[in-house]
Amino acid sequence: MEAVNRRNRAKKYGMVIDLDKCTGCGSCTVACMAENNIPFRKDESDKLLSIAWLHVYKLTNGKPFPHTDVCYLPRPCMHCEGHHGHSPCVSVCPATATDYDEETGIVSQIYTRCFGCRYCMAACPYHVRLFNWWDPVWPDGMEKMLNPDVSVRMRGVVEKCSFCYHRHQRAMEKAYLEGRRELEEHEYQTACTQACPAGAITFGDLNNPKHAVYRLKKSPRAFRLLERLGTRPKVYYLSSREWVRQAGDNHLQQEKQKI
Amino acid sequence: MAFGIGGAVGTALSPLPWKLTDDLSIWTQNWPWTPVPPHGEVTQVDSVCTLCPGGCGISVRKVEDRVVKIEGMPGHPVNDGGICLLGASGAQLLYGPSRIEGPLKRVGRRGDGRWQPVSWKAAVAEVAGKLGVLRSGGEPHTLGCLLRSDRGTVPGLFSRLLTVFGSPNLMRMPSIQDTYELTLYQMQGALALPGFDVDNTDFLLSFGSGYIQGWGSPVHMFRAHSRWRNRGGRVVQVEPRLSISAAKADDWLAIKPGTEAALAMGLSHVIITESLYDRDFIENRCRGFESWVDAEGRIQPGFKQRVLNTYTPAKVSEITGIAAADVVRLARDFAKAARPLAICGRGRGRVPGDLGAFMAVHALNALCGSIQRAGGVWAVPEPDYINWFQPEMDKVAATGMQQSRLDGAGGPQYPLARYLTSYLAEIINAGKGYPLKALLVAGDNPAYTLPAGGNVRKALDSIPFIVSFSSFMDETTRMADLVLPNHIYLERLEDVPLAQGFSRPLVQLCKPVTAPQFNTRHSGDVVIDIARALGGSVATAFPWKSYADCLKETLGGNFQKLMRQVYMVGRGTGAPGHNAAFETASGKFEFTNPEFKIRPDYEPIEAEGDAASFPLVLVPYDSMRLASGFVADSPFMVKAVDDTVLKGRDILVEINPQTARKYGLADGAIALLRTPRGKARVKIYHFEGLMPGLVAMPTGLGHSAYDEYIGGKGVNFNRLIGPVQDPVSGLDAAWGIRAKLTRV
C-alpha cells in the first residue's frame, strides 16, 4: 500500500516545446542565464566552450532556394528517465555527482561532488552537459545580479540544466508552510517557460492528467529527440512540419516512417 | 635503482597520486574568488521596460536592494508575463561595465576617451554658459536636439526648452512610425499612431515586416503569432530572405527586394476585378476610389482606375518576380479572410520607408474594410495628458523659431515630413543652411544608429559643443564634450506614453526599482536645471521644483493610480468601428489626398551604387538576439548569438551558395565587402534561404564603443549604407545598397 502511494505521489516533471510557436528569439536562453548565474566571457562565439544550459539550435531542411526552410529548436537537459532511472549520464558518473530523482524525475548535478572527469559529457547524446574550463569572473559590480538560490560553479566541474530545481525547492517549502504536500501547476515553472514570449514552452508533471503537458505530449505533432536510443527523454517537441519531426532522430535517407 | 623503480611503481599503484590529484582539484576549486551571492529578503517590483518602444510590463525580482532578475509582468495587456532577451538582461545593463558613473567633461581630443569628472553644478553651469552665448549672439536656432522619441514628459521638457530657447531643431530618430503617421494623416486625416489589432486578425500579410523579429511591440507580436497558431490564423510573408518571420509563416513569397508596393497594388487589382472588396466600406466610407472631376474640370483617375490600368498580375509578376498565379491566389485568400490585415515596414522598422508603398498597403487594408475594425489597423490617438501652460517666448526665441529647420522637414521641398533626421549629417557636411553650434543628444546613439555612419561622425565632429545624456559610454557619447548621464530605466521615474503598434492608447509609469548606482541624475531634472540657469523667459517656462513634481502635476490623479498598477489603458478600447467619421475634410477615407495629390503607388526606389562596379545587393536583417537600437546588446545576448552570425570578431554575411560559387567565395572564407558607402571585412556564410544576387548582413553588431563583452565584434550595417530619399515624403526609404564581395 505504501509503495502504491509512493508511486502515485511520484512526479515526472517534463516539458513540451511547441516548435511551431518558437521564434528562436533566445529569450529562454537569456532568462536561464540570469536565473542560474551562468557566467559569460568576452568571446562566446566558440560554442563548444560557451556555457548555456539551454541552447537554441537552428535546423534547416537543406533544400535550395526558395524551398528552404528553417526551424529553431531550444534544447534544455532532457532529464532522461532511461530504464529505471538509468539515464546515460547517471549510469557513468563515478562520483555520484549526478543522480536521477525518483520523486520528481529530475536529473540533478551536485557540483561539489563532481571532479570533472567528464564521462557524463561523453555519455550524454544531447550535448547538454558543459564543462567549466575557467573560474567564472564577473566584471566589477556585476556579481550584484547573482541569484542566491543557485550556487556559482567553480572551475573543473560539469554543469547542466536543472529544470530550475531551486524553484521546486522554494515552491515545496512554501507548500509545507501552508500545510500542503502537493504543488499547483503554476507554482513550479522553470525560468525559460516563464520567460518565453511566444508561450511555446509548457512545463509540468507528465504523470498528472490535470497538467497541460499531459495532454500535449500525446499530440500527433509530438516527438522526442533521438528516441531510438531508449533514453526516454522528458522533453517533448511539437511540430507540424514533417522534416522537423524527422530531424529529431537519425534516419536513413530512404526511410520514411519514424520508428 | 631497483629500489627507485619499485618505489615509483608502488606509489603509482597506491591511491596516493589519485588522492593528491583529487585534493589538488578540490583545493583549487575552493579558491575564494568564486562569489557567493548574499541571501536576503526577496521582493518583486512591477515597472515598465523602456529598452525598446514596445512597452512591456516587467516584474523585477530583488534580493534586498540588488536587482537579480527581470521577468515579464503577468496580466499586462502588452506582454502578459512574456519577456524578450533584452528585457530579461536588464540587470546586466544596470550593473554593466559601460555605465557612466557621473558627469564628465572631455579633456584631450574628441574621441580620445579622456574625461574629467565634474560636479553636477559645474556641468549644468557649463551647458548654460555655452547655450547662453548662442542666445546672446542672436542665433538660438543653431542649437539642435536629437531625441529617440518626441512623446512623453521628458521629450516634452526638451522640446519646451528648445522652443523657449528659440530653436526649431528638435529631431526624433527615424523609424516606420514616421511613414505610418503620414499614411494615417493622408488617408484618414488623423494625427495618430498606428495600432494593429493583431489579437483578432485571422490573416496576416506582411510586406517584409519582421513580425517576430522586433516589429511593433515585439513580445505582443510573439503572443499574437502563437494565438494564430492555436486558432488556425494564416500568415504570409513577402520577403527576399527566409527570415524567421518567413520560416514561421504559412507561405513565404520570395520577392525582388524593393518591389513590395507593386505586389500590394497587384493584389488590389485582383480584389477589384473579382469584386472581392468590402463594397459597403468602399462605396459609403471612402473617396477617391472611383475617378472624379476636379475643380478645373479635369478627370482625376481614381485608385480603381490606376490599379486596373497598370497593375495586372502579369505586370506585377514581371516587377516582383512572383508568379502571376500566386498573386491571384494570395489576393483571393486575403480578401476572403474574415479579418485580414496587411502590414509593412521592413524588418524591425528602423528605416521609415516610402510613403507610396505604405499607402498602397493601407489601401489594400481599406479594400477589405480592415480599417478601424476588429483585426485591422486602428488610428490610436496621440497621448493627450501633457497640458502644460503655454510658455512665454522672448524676442530672441520668437526670431529663432522663425528659422527653417536644418533637416528641411516641413520646408518647401518636403512639406509633409515632421523630421528628416537621416539627412542631418549630409546637410551639415555639405555646409547647407546654417551651422549647428551645439547639440543635445538624449535617449539615442545617432553615431551608431543613423545610416551613413561615417558621415554622421564627420558631422558630429563639426559641431563645437555636444552634450550627451546617455547612461552608457556609447559611440555618440564618446564624441561628446560633456556627459550628463541619466539614470537607467530601473533607477528612474518616467511616463511611458505608448506601446508601439499596440491597438489601444496605453499610458504607463516606469518607476525606480532600485536606488541609482552611480552619481547620475534624471535628464528631466537636468533640463529643468539648465533652463533655470539660463534664466529669463527660459527659466519661467519651467516652474517645477523637480522632474518628479512636473510628472505628478502632469498626470494629476492618475499618478498614484499608475504608481500602484503601472499601466492604464486609455479611452477607445475595443474596435473604433466604421460609424465614426474619418478626420479628413470629407469625413471619408481618402485613397488620394486631394490636397497633396499623394496616393498609393509603386515608385521604384533604387539601391544606391552602380551595378557595374557593385554586382551584388546588400540587405540588412534584424534578429531578436541583436539589439540594433539605442541600447547595445547585453553580454548575455552576445552570448546567445549564433556562430553563423558572429565568430570571434568576424561578422558572417549570408549569401546564396549559387551566387557564392559564381564569385569563388567558399563557406567560411574571409572576404572584403564594399559598398559605395564603405567597406568591411566579413566572413562568408552560405545560406540557401537568401535570394541569389543578394548579400544579407545582421544589424546590431560592430559597436566601436562599450566594453569588450559587446564592442569590437563584427560590423555596423549603418556604416555601409546611406539614406535614399523618398521623393514624395523626403523620408529615408533605403532597403539595400549595391555591394561587391572580393576574396582576401
Side-chain angles (χ1 to χ4, degrees):
Chain A
M1 193 59 198
E2 180 56 27
V4 172
N5 277 341
R6 227 182 121 74
R7 203 174 313 129
N8 286 347
R9 273 211 312 274
K11 307 283 184 296
K12 210 166 96 174
Y13 282 107
M15 203 175 261
V16 180
I17 305 179
D18 191 336
L19 300 182
D20 290 339
K21 290 180 183 169
C22 171
T23 67
C25 69
S27 299
C28 48
T29 305
V30 168
C32 169
M33 288 175 187
E35 180 77 26
N36 291 301
N37 297 337
I38 291 177
F40 47 90
R41 291 175 302 122
K42 285 166 185 162
D43 182 4
E44 291 277 3
S45 65
D46 185 342
K47 297 301 174 192
L48 287 176
L49 300 178
S50 177
I51 293 181
W53 288 5
L54 193 161
H55 186 79
V56 182
Y57 287 92
K58 186 179 177 182
L59 316 177
T60 56
N61 68 350
K63 289 193 180 162
F65 180 88
H67 306 290
T68 323
D69 198 5
V70 299
C71 183
Y72 284 96
L73 183 140
R75 188 241 48 212
C77 174
M78 300 286 131
H79 294 272
C80 305
E81 193 179 0
H83 294 282
H84 310 290
H86 287 292
S87 43
C89 51
V90 171
S91 315
V92 298
C93 180
T96 332
T98 184
D99 194 25
Y100 187 85
D101 180 4
E102 297 285 353
E103 299 270 309
T104 57
I106 290 173
V107 177
S108 63
Q109 180 71 17
I110 303 158
Y111 311 119
T112 42
R113 282 190 192 166
C114 173
F115 51 61
C117 70
R118 292 176 281 143
Y119 285 1
C120 56
M121 289 174 71
C124 174
Y126 303 102
H127 295 274
V128 306
R129 294 179 158 271
L130 302 146
F131 186 64
N132 283 275
W133 289 97
W134 301 276
D135 263 323
V137 181
W138 279 268
D140 233 10
M142 259 173 125
E143 67 278 4
K144 278 189 190 162
M145 62 176 288
L146 293 176
N147 178 3
D149 290 346
V150 180
S151 39
V152 173
R153 283 76 62 188
M154 53 302 224
R155 177 167 57 84
V157 301
V158 169
E159 62 181 76
K160 69 158 194 82
C161 157
S162 65
F163 267 174
C164 290
Y165 188 67
H166 58 283
R167 289 187 168 209
H168 182 260
Q169 288 173 317
R170 262 193 184 274
M172 284 308 287
E173 276 166 24
K174 186 164 168 281
Y176 291 146
L177 277 172
E178 291 165 5
R180 289 180 292 133
R181 306 311 258 181
E182 296 293 325
L183 292 179
E184 294 291 323
E185 188 177 7
H186 68 86
E187 283 183 294
Y188 169 39
Q189 291 290 321
T190 63
C192 52
T193 311
Q194 182 192 28
C196 179
I201 309 178
T202 316
F203 182 79
D205 180 4
L206 295 166
N207 279 347
N208 188 337
K210 285 186 203 145
H211 286 199
V213 287
Y214 184 85
R215 180 180 52 82
L216 287 170
K217 71 175 180 184
K218 294 180 175 166
S219 158
R221 295 188 293 142
F223 67 99
R224 290 182 288 180
L225 298 182
L226 303 177
E227 272 181 271
R228 293 182 191 200
L229 295 180
T231 50
R232 301 174 69 198
K234 285 203 283 293
V235 177
Y236 291 76
Y237 292 92
L238 304 178
S239 177
S240 56
R241 300 188 184 191
E242 176 63 23
W243 73 268
V244 175
R245 292 198 298 270
Q246 289 279 324
D249 216 326
N250 292 314
H251 293 273
L252 297 172
Q253 218 150 34
Q254 66 273 26
E255 196 177 0
K256 287 271 170 9
Q257 281 298 309
K258 274 203 313 176
I259 294 177
Chain B
M1 174 79 172
F3 182 73
I5 293 169
V9 170
T11 313
L13 290 175
S14 80
L16 192 66
W18 314 110
K19 181 64 189 149
L20 282 175
T21 315
D22 190 27
D23 282 355
L24 187 73
S25 72
I26 289 168
W27 175 61
T28 62
Q29 285 173 358
N30 283 308
W31 281 343
W33 50 70
T34 307
V36 179
H39 279 271
E41 190 194 3
V42 179
T43 48
Q44 295 276 155
V45 187
D46 290 343
S47 186
V48 188
C49 181
T50 64
L51 298 176
C52 90
C56 289
I58 52 172
S59 181
V60 180
R61 193 201 311 161
K62 289 171 64 185
V63 176
E64 296 295 332
D65 62 342
R66 300 189 294 121
V67 172
V68 163
K69 178 106 185 290
I70 299 176
E71 289 157 358
M73 180 176 163
H76 190 277
V78 170
N79 59 318
D80 190 17
I83 193 159
C84 79
L85 60 177
L86 179 60
S89 46
Q92 289 200 316
L93 303 180
L94 175 66
Y95 298 124
S98 286
R99 283 292 302 272
I100 298 166
E101 302 190 5
L104 299 172
K105 191 179 155 129
R106 173 170 68 87
V107 289
R109 282 213 332 269
R110 216 177 228 178
D112 276 0
R114 285 176 33 227
W115 304 97
Q116 183 193 351
V118 288
S119 72
W120 275 105
K121 209 171 158 194
V124 168
E126 164 118 15
V127 180
K130 286 269 168 53
L131 300 193
V133 172
L134 297 184
R135 258 175 81 78
S136 54
E139 41 181 21
H141 57 285
T142 58
L143 169 68
C145 179
L146 269 175
L147 304 174
R148 181 172 46 181
S149 156
D150 59 353
R151 298 187 176 92
T153 52
V154 171
L157 288 172
F158 274 103
S159 169
R160 192 174 177 87
L161 176 68
L162 256 75
T163 305
V164 292
F165 187 84
S167 171
N169 287 311
L170 182 90
M171 277 158 279
R172 180 177 83 180
M173 294 308 278
S175 77
I176 55 169
Q177 294 289 324
D178 296 326
T179 327
Y180 260 121
E181 281 167 23
L182 282 182
T183 305
L184 290 176
Y185 184 65
Q186 295 301 316
M187 303 180 95
Q188 297 179 215
L191 284 172
L193 308 158
F196 304 92
D197 188 23
V198 289
D199 288 347
N200 294 308
T201 190
D202 66 345
F203 192 119
L204 182 83
L205 172 56
S206 151
F207 289 91
S209 303
Y211 64 92
I212 44 172
Q213 290 161 273
W215 185 94
S217 178
V219 176
H220 191 63
M221 291 304 293
F222 282 30
R223 303 194 81 78
H225 171 254
S226 292
R227 211 166 287 132
W228 301 327
R229 291 289 154 249
N230 282 344
R231 293 192 201 149
R234 256 189 91 192
V235 182
V236 176
Q237 178 76 3
V238 180
E239 193 180 4
R241 175 181 176 268
L242 180 78
S243 64
I244 187 65
S245 299
K248 286 290 157 213
D250 298 273
D251 284 304
W252 166 43
L253 293 179
I255 190 167
K256 281 187 204 157
T259 66
E260 292 88 344
L263 177 65
M265 296 297 274
L267 297 174
S268 293
H269 180 105
V270 179
I271 292 171
I272 294 169
T273 47
E274 301 192 0
S275 283
L276 297 172
Y277 56 87
D278 184 335
R279 207 161 275 278
D280 176 52
F281 183 73
I282 294 296
E283 282 170 8
N284 301 320
R285 314 282 302 125
C286 296
R287 226 176 64 144
F289 181 71
E290 302 285 352
S291 302
W292 73 95
V293 180
D294 68 8
E296 282 104 62
R298 282 175 306 203
I299 295 174
Q300 296 288 345
F303 179 72
K304 178 175 156 186
Q305 198 191 330
R306 290 195 304 112
V307 163
L308 294 185
N309 288 352
T310 321
Y311 296 100
T312 61
K315 180 76 194 301
V316 166
S317 173
E318 198 181 299
I319 299 170
T320 61
I322 293 171
D326 287 341
V327 176
V328 174
R329 190 167 40 221
L330 176 58
R332 287 178 188 156
D333 290 352
F334 184 75
K336 285 176 184 167
R339 292 178 304 278
L341 170 67
I343 61 172
C344 59
R346 294 181 188 89
R348 189 174 279 165
R350 292 166 304 112
V351 179
D354 60 307
L355 184 56
F358 274 59
M359 287 174 75
V361 173
H362 205 51
L364 185 60
N365 281 319
L367 278 186
C368 297
S370 294
I371 306 285
Q372 310 293 97
R373 187 182 75 177
V377 187
W378 300 1
V380 179
E382 291 268 3
D384 60 354
Y385 56 87
I386 301 179
N387 297 303
W388 297 333
F389 67 93
Q390 199 65 35
E392 228 172 87
M393 287 159 72
D394 62 8
K395 211 165 153 228
V396 183
T399 331
M401 286 301 281
Q402 294 299 312
Q403 294 277 343
S404 57
R405 284 176 64 93
L406 190 56
D407 64 2
Q413 206 180 352
Y414 300 114
L416 303 176
R418 289 168 67 196
Y419 307 99
L420 291 172
T421 315
S422 314
Y423 301 96
L424 184 66
E426 284 184 6
I427 290 165
I428 290 175
N429 292 341
K432 286 188 222 156
Y434 44 85
L436 268 195
K437 295 198 172 157
L439 181 68
L440 314 176
V441 184
D444 209 294
N445 179 12
Y448 177 85
T449 52
L450 283 179
N455 282 352
V456 176
R457 284 182 196 212
K458 195 172 153 209
L460 288 178
D461 222 16
S462 74
I463 300 172
F465 185 59
I466 300 175
V467 182
S468 167
F469 291 79
S470 174
S471 312
F472 303 99
M473 192 46 85
D474 54 33
E475 283 80 359
T476 312
T477 306
R478 280 177 68 101
M479 299 194 68
D481 300 279
L482 200 63
V483 188
L484 309 176
N486 196 1
H487 304 321
I488 84 158
Y489 71 114
L490 297 170
E491 302 163 327
R492 73 173 184 246
L493 185 70
E494 192 174 330
D495 53 322
V496 181
L498 64 114
Q500 183 174 285
F502 192 64
S503 54
R504 288 165 288 166
L506 186 70
V507 180
Q508 307 190 74
L509 191 64
C510 164
K511 58 188 177 190
V513 298
T514 182
Q517 297 295 302
F518 301 111
N519 181 22
T520 51
R521 190 164 160 77
H522 199 299
S523 291
D525 281 318
V526 179
V527 171
I528 295 174
D529 291 347
I530 292 171
R532 214 168 276 150
L534 281 165
S537 60
V538 179
T540 48
F542 294 82
W544 304 284
K545 274 206 288 292
S546 66
Y547 171 73
D549 255 27
C550 166
L551 184 66
K552 278 179 206 164
E553 190 194 303
T554 309
L555 291 171
N558 289 334
F559 180 79
Q560 285 308 328
K561 203 170 164 192
L562 282 167
M563 281 298 276
R564 276 196 310 275
Q565 67 188 43
V566 176
Y567 65 88
M568 274 170 63
V569 181
R571 277 191 303 272
T573 52
H578 285 168
N579 294 328
F582 287 105
E583 293 161 71
T584 49
S586 60
K588 292 186 170 182
F589 184 93
E590 297 277 4
F591 274 96
T592 302
N593 189 312
E595 194 187 337
F596 298 105
K597 300 245 174 2
I598 290 166
R599 55 200 194 183
D601 211 344
Y602 164 63
E603 293 284 352
I605 303 279
E606 300 295 340
E608 185 184 347
D610 68 296
S613 341
F614 300 102
L616 300 167
V617 174
L618 175 68
V619 291
Y621 74 88
D622 296 329
S623 147
M624 281 305 288
R625 297 192 207 175
L626 288 166
S628 54
F630 77 99
V631 151
D633 277 331
S634 63
F636 279 159
M637 286 170 79
V638 176
K639 189 167 172 163
V641 169
D642 271 336
D643 56 0
T644 55
V645 174
L646 179 72
K647 186 79 187 168
R649 289 170 162 270
D650 286 321
I651 190 170
L652 284 93
V653 293
E654 294 176 352
I655 184 165
N656 190 290
Q658 186 194 321
T659 313
R661 270 194 296 278
K662 196 167 144 197
Y663 296 96
L665 300 162
D667 196 23
I670 296 292
L672 185 70
L673 177 66
R674 275 176 194 278
T675 72
R677 295 284 181 162
K679 59 179 187 217
R681 177 193 145 102
V682 296
K683 202 171 172 130
I684 300 295
Y685 171 54
H686 286 188
F687 180 49
E688 293 279 6
L690 184 69
M691 180 177 274
L694 301 183
V695 183
M697 177 181 270
T699 59
L701 285 167
H703 277 286
S704 57
Y706 291 97
D707 44 79
E708 291 168 281
Y709 296 93
I710 297 157
K713 296 171 190 293
V715 178
N716 177 7
F717 176 79
N718 292 321
R719 261 186 49 217
L720 299 175
I721 193 161
V724 176
Q725 209 144 17
D726 168 24
V728 179
S729 64
L731 293 165
D732 177 15
W735 49 265
I737 187 163
R738 298 215 69 96
K740 186 182 182 180
L741 271 176
T742 38
R743 250 189 318 184
V744 288

